[in-house]
Amino acid sequence: MAGKTNALQKPVQLSGDLEAVIGKGPMTRAQVTSKVWEYIKAHSLQDANDKRQINPDGKLSAVIGKDQISMFKMTAAVSKHLT
């Protein structure tokens, strides 16, 4: 079992829209999630009243859509930009 990588550790390619938000790939899914959260926090995109909700800006809306999204659904939206 030693030396095997799981899905979170396997490098993936990023779409152009996602690279515009978090930088050049490839990177692991864990790194992608971490970088997306860094972006959200750096740009104050969490809803002030409900921190579980994300209010995307122009760049992030190309990845997760223009509407407010739950942090639980955000990962699924981001995964569509990984290959």
Side-chain angles (χ1 to χ4, degrees):
M1 190 116 177
K4 289 198 173 193
T5 57
N6 65 28
L8 289 177
Q9 298 167 327
K10 182 181 173 191
V12 292
Q13 296 296 327
L14 314 179
S15 71
D17 289 336
L18 186 54
E19 283 186 337
V21 175
I22 65 172
K24 279 282 195 203
M27 46 179 93
T28 66
R29 288 177 182 267
Q31 288 172 315
V32 169
T33 300
S34 178
K35 295 246 183 213
V36 168
W37 273 106
E38 284 176 23
Y39 183 87
I40 289 168
K41 290 180 180 186
H43 293 87
S44 302
L45 300 179
Q46 284 179 281
D47 189 87
N49 298 321
D50 184 355
K51 298 283 188 186
R52 295 173 297 179
Q53 299 296 320
I54 309 301
N55 299 312
D57 63 3
K59 275 186 172 180
L60 192 58
S61 68
V63 176
I64 64 173
K66 295 186 185 322
D67 297 328
Q68 185 180 66
I69 190 169
S70 160
M71 67 182 196
F72 304 110
K73 293 182 179 179
M74 182 188 67
T75 305
V78 169
S79 70
K80 294 175 184 173
H81 291 267
L82 308 175
T83 54

